[in-house]
Amino acid sequence: MVEETTATEPLDFIRRQVEEDLRTGYFDGVVMTRFPPEPNGYLHIGHVKAICVDFGIAEDYGGACNLRFDDTNPVKEETEYVESMIEDIHWLGFEWKELLYASDYFDQLYEWAVQLIKEGKAYVDDLSPDEIREYRGTLTEPGKNSPYRDRTVAENLDLFERMKNGEFPEESRVLRAKIDMASPIINLRDPVMYRILHTPHHRIGDKWCIYPMYDWAHGQSDSIEGITYSLCSLEYVNHRPLYDWFLDQLGIHHPRQIEFARLELTYTLTSKRRLRRLVEEGYVNGWDDPRMPTIRGMRRRGYTAAAMRNLITLTGISTANSTVDFGLVEYAVREDLNRVTPRGMAVLRPLRLTITNYPDDQEEWFDIPTYPQDKENPATHQAPFSKEIAIEQEDFMEDAPSKFFRLAPGREVRLLGAYLVTCTGVVKDEAGQVVEILCTYDPATRGGNAVDGRKVKGTIHWVGARHGVPAELRLYDRLFSQEDPEAVEEGQDFTANLNPHSLELLDNALVEPFVADAANGSHFQFMRQGYFCRDADSTPAKPVFNLTVNLKDTWAKVSGG
RNA sequence: UGCGGUGUCGCCAAGUGGUAAGGCAGCGGGCUUUGAACCCGCCAUUCCUAGGUUCGAAUCCUAGCACCGCAGCCA
C-alpha cells in the first residue's frame, strides 16, 4: 500500500492568515491588496519584495491588487517617479486592477476631518513645530495637552476652513486628532492630520493649501478601496493602533493590516537618501547604473524579472529583521539564466595563439551548439576558425601545476568545438612577457574528439583572430566592499566602503560574430566566464556587454585566485 | 525608566506539546567538448540564557539577556 504523501510547501504567515479568513469567510472571500509607493524616487530591490508580496498574494488567491501612489507630500513628489514606477512594476510582470492616487481621496478625507471636528475628536492647534515636539513628551514621559486642545467645535471648523482656503502661512497651524497625550504609544499623542503647505501638487496643482499626513490618509485610502489586506513593513506596527482608531471613529471598512520584514541584502544599500547621493555625487553613472540596486539598474545589469521574483520566494516572508546574503541573489540570477541563455565565446583578455601547422589561408566555420545545456534544443551557430586565434590569458601558464587543466608548454587541450592543440612554444617580448603561444593541432580531432579515443582534461574557449569582433566588456562587482556598507570608522560615512573595483572596463575583448549582432538587452553566457547582457551603449562598430554575474569558479577557489 | 516587535545551522527559514523541513553557502565524490550546469553524499542530540510544568518542550509557565522600531507639520 503506497502512502499518499502530500508534500506541500509550508505557507508563509500572511498566506496562512488569508487562507484562514477564506475558510471562515471573514472578508466574504475577497482578497484585495495594494502596493502604495510614494513617488519620490526610483524603485529598488527592497520594493521588489513588497511588490511580490502585495501582487503575489492577490494573484495566488484570485484577488486583485491596486497600484496607489501615496502622494500626500507635494514637496517631495514628482510625475517622473510615477512613470518610472509604472514601468518597473510592469517589467517585473505584475498588473494592477486600478491605478490610483491618495490625492484622489483628498475631498473625502477633508469631509471626514470635518466630521471628526464636529464630533469633538479633532482640533486646530496653533503651537509651533518646536512646541508640538516639546508637548509630545518623550519615550518615557507622557506629553501634555496643547492650550488649544479645547477650542470649540465652531472655532475649529472656522479655523480649519480658513487653513484650507490658504489664509495662514505654513507651520502656523495644524489639525490634530484628539486622542491621548499621555498614551505610551507615541503615535496616539494627538497626531497631526493636516499641515499647511503652499506648494502645488504634481497632479492636482494648487487646489489645496493643506495636505493630509500619511497616517491620516493611508488607512482611509485602503478602506475606500475595499482593501482586505493592508500589507506593510514592520515599522508600521506602531501605527496600527492609530489606523484602527481613525477607522473606528469613522465607522468604515476595516482592512486587516499585516506587517512583515523588509528585504535587506549584504553589500547593498536601499536608503533613498544614500542612493541619491551615489548618483548625485557621481559614484555611479545614474539611477540605472548596473551596480545600483534599483530595478532599472538591475535590469540593465541583466538580472531578469523571473530571477527577482524567485529571489523573493527563496528568501521568504517573516517578522524577523534579517539580512540576506548577496550570494542568494547571484544564485537566483544564475539559476534563471542558465536554463534559457544562449552560449557564446568571448575572450576577455586576449592572448594570441598561432597554430603553426595549420595552413596559412585556410578557414573553417565550426558549428557550435548554442544551447548545450538543453539537450532538446539542437540549435547551433557558426564560429570562424583559422591559423591565428585568441585565447584567454588566464588559460595559459608557463609553469603550470599539475592541477592546471589548461594550456602549458607540452600540454594538449581542446579548443571548444574545434581541435585538440598542443603547446609547442611561446614568444616573449623584451620584458619577458608571453605575447604569443605556439601550438600544433591534430587534424584528426576535428570537432574536438580524438579518433584514437585519447582524452584531454581541459577545454578552453577561443575566438578566431580574423573574424572576431572587438567589444567592450564592463565587469561589475559589488558596489561596496563591506557586508554592511554602513559599518564605518568614526568620522567616515558609507562612501568609505565603496569598492574601488566595482567596475572594470575591458576595452580589448573579442567576441565571436554571432553574439556581436544581437539586440540590446540580449542575454548570453560567455562560456567559462559568466552571463552578460548587451548594453544600450553599443554602437554598430563596437558592441558593449555588461557582466550580469560570473559563473561559479572552482578553479579560482582552489588556486587561491 | 515607556510602548511595540524579534531571537531555530555561516545566511535565510519551516516548526503552533510527540521527539529539529527546505534553500543558499560550505565540504567530499561522480559526470562533463563550459573547472559551469547536473547527480550523489555530508553539514543543529539542539532551538538566546536559567529555572519550572509534563511520560514528553523549540513549542506551555516564570525570571533574565540581546537586538530592532517609535519622540517629522516625512512616508
Side-chain angles (χ1 to χ4, degrees), chain A residues 355-554:
Chain A
I355 301 164
T356 52
N357 60 339
Y358 195 86
D360 287 355
D361 53 358
Q362 188 170 316
E363 202 168 88
E364 293 177 80
W365 290 74
F366 286 103
D367 287 322
I368 310 281
T370 306
Y371 301 94
Q373 79 280 21
D374 181 0
K375 301 301 172 223
E376 314 282 281
N377 191 338
T380 60
H381 62 273
Q382 293 209 305
F385 186 90
S386 55
K387 187 181 181 77
E388 289 175 352
I389 61 170
I391 65 164
E392 208 67 63
Q393 285 172 22
E394 285 190 336
D395 287 339
F396 175 80
M397 251 182 130
E398 199 173 7
D399 193 13
S402 61
K403 290 286 190 194
F404 186 77
F405 305 142
R406 309 176 189 181
L407 209 51
R411 294 200 196 169
E412 183 174 50
V413 299
R414 172 164 38 237
L415 294 177
L416 198 149
Y419 289 108
L420 261 32
V421 296
T422 301
C423 176
T424 55
V426 299
V427 178
K428 297 182 179 181
D429 61 13
E430 312 80 53
Q433 286 293 308
V434 174
V435 293
E436 183 181 357
I437 310 294
L438 303 176
C439 284
T440 56
Y441 84 115
D442 178 353
T445 59
R446 194 168 196 287
N449 280 316
V451 288
D452 63 10
R454 71 178 187 278
K455 301 286 186 202
V456 290
K457 186 73 179 165
T459 300
I460 65 176
H461 60 278
W462 53 275
V463 172
R466 205 173 292 172
H467 295 282
V469 180
E472 176 181 327
L473 264 34
R474 298 175 180 172
L475 304 189
Y476 293 103
D477 197 359
R478 39 190 61 143
L479 229 199
F480 294 95
S481 47
Q482 293 292 315
E483 271 198 23
D484 175 7
E486 300 280 8
V488 291
E489 315 227 319
E490 256 320 297
Q492 295 186 313
D493 70 5
F494 70 100
T495 58
N497 283 331
L498 249 5
N499 174 9
H501 310 296
S502 61
L503 169 59
E504 183 182 1
L505 279 180
L506 261 28
D507 209 27
N508 299 309
L510 242 31
V511 299
E512 57 172 312
F514 109 105
V515 303
D517 303 333
N520 289 343
S522 301
H523 300 274
F524 287 98
Q525 185 201 97
F526 291 160
M527 282 185 282
R528 303 207 308 130
Q529 298 289 352
Y531 295 95
F532 285 78
C533 182
R534 195 179 206 267
D535 193 83
D537 284 349
S538 296
T539 64
K542 194 165 203 179
V544 175
F545 293 92
N546 296 321
L547 173 63
T548 304
V549 60
N550 60 301
L551 255 27
K552 290 218 287 186
D553 190 349
T554 306

Side-chain angles (χ1 to χ4, degrees), chain A residues 147-431:
Chain A
Y148 304 97
R149 198 174 198 259
D150 294 315
R151 289 216 247 233
T152 63
V153 167
E155 192 181 3
N156 280 320
L157 249 17
D158 172 62
L159 253 15
F160 187 48
E161 165 129 32
R162 290 165 62 194
M163 279 169 64
K164 184 191 75 163
N165 293 340
E167 292 183 29
F168 308 121
E170 294 185 4
E171 299 196 339
S172 61
R173 279 175 240 264
V174 291
L175 182 74
R176 292 231 248 173
K178 190 188 284 189
I179 308 180
D180 178 8
M181 288 306 291
S183 173
I185 301 164
I186 294 188
N187 285 307
L188 258 23
R189 316 238 263 231
D190 290 10
V192 173
M193 295 165 65
Y194 277 95
R195 73 292 213 183
I196 298 168
L197 249 29
H198 294 286
T199 302
H201 186 277
H202 71 98
R203 255 187 94 238
I204 50 181
D206 54 10
K207 176 176 179 190
W208 295 88
C209 298
I210 54 171
Y211 289 90
M213 295 291 291
Y214 175 86
D215 277 348
W216 168 243
H218 189 77
Q220 283 71 265
S221 298
D222 281 354
S223 180
I224 291 168
E225 292 174 26
I227 301 302
T228 52
Y229 298 96
S230 296
L231 309 177
C232 59
S233 49
L234 255 23
E235 71 257 40
Y236 291 104
V237 172
N238 296 327
H239 297 247
R240 185 154 26 99
L242 174 56
Y243 300 161
D244 289 344
W245 189 87
F246 282 140
L247 263 10
D248 289 345
Q249 300 311 312
L250 265 13
I252 56 179
H253 167 70
H254 204 135
R256 188 192 288 287
Q257 172 168 312
I258 305 175
E259 308 87 2
F260 60 94
R262 291 169 179 266
L263 174 64
E264 302 285 353
L265 290 172
T266 56
Y267 301 100
T268 306
L269 234 34
T270 49
S271 139
K272 278 179 191 166
R273 271 183 62 93
R274 303 267 120 113
L275 296 181
R276 183 174 304 283
R277 270 195 66 193
L278 291 174
V279 172
E280 287 177 354
E281 295 177 23
Y283 293 110
V284 296
N285 304 312
W287 290 97
D288 67 343
D289 186 297
R291 291 166 292 183
M292 289 286 275
T294 51
I295 292 182
R296 310 168 96 65
M298 297 188 293
R299 178 180 179 179
R300 187 169 179 190
R301 173 81 171 255
Y303 289 6
T304 58
M308 294 296 94
R309 292 173 66 156
N310 189 230
L311 172 70
I312 302 309
T313 304
L314 253 20
T315 53
I317 307 170
S318 76
T319 50
N321 289 318
S322 61
T323 303
V324 173
D325 190 316
F326 195 79
L328 195 61
V329 176
E330 300 186 328
Y331 167 79
V333 171
R334 289 189 187 111
E335 191 202 42
D336 183 51
L337 256 18
N338 174 51
R339 280 198 302 274
V340 294
T341 308
R343 267 57 171 173
M345 292 192 286
V347 174
L348 313 201
R349 300 173 184 83
L351 209 208
R352 171 191 291 241
L353 184 154
T354 301
I355 301 164
T356 52
N357 60 339
Y358 195 86
D360 287 355
D361 53 358
Q362 188 170 316
E363 202 168 88
E364 293 177 80
W365 290 74
F366 286 103
D367 287 322
I368 310 281
T370 306
Y371 301 94
Q373 79 280 21
D374 181 0
K375 301 301 172 223
E376 314 282 281
N377 191 338
T380 60
H381 62 273
Q382 293 209 305
F385 186 90
S386 55
K387 187 181 181 77
E388 289 175 352
I389 61 170
I391 65 164
E392 208 67 63
Q393 285 172 22
E394 285 190 336
D395 287 339
F396 175 80
M397 251 182 130
E398 199 173 7
D399 193 13
S402 61
K403 290 286 190 194
F404 186 77
F405 305 142
R406 309 176 189 181
L407 209 51
R411 294 200 196 169
E412 183 174 50
V413 299
R414 172 164 38 237
L415 294 177
L416 198 149
Y419 289 108
L420 261 32
V421 296
T422 301
C423 176
T424 55
V426 299
V427 178
K428 297 182 179 181
D429 61 13
E430 312 80 53

Side-chain angles (χ1 to χ4, degrees), chain A residues 109-128:
Chain A
L109 256 11
Y110 182 80
E111 279 176 38
W112 276 331
V114 169
Q115 179 186 331
L116 291 193
I117 292 172
K118 287 178 177 166
E119 292 170 3
K121 295 166 183 166
Y123 63 98
V124 172
D125 195 349
D126 298 0
L127 252 27
S128 72

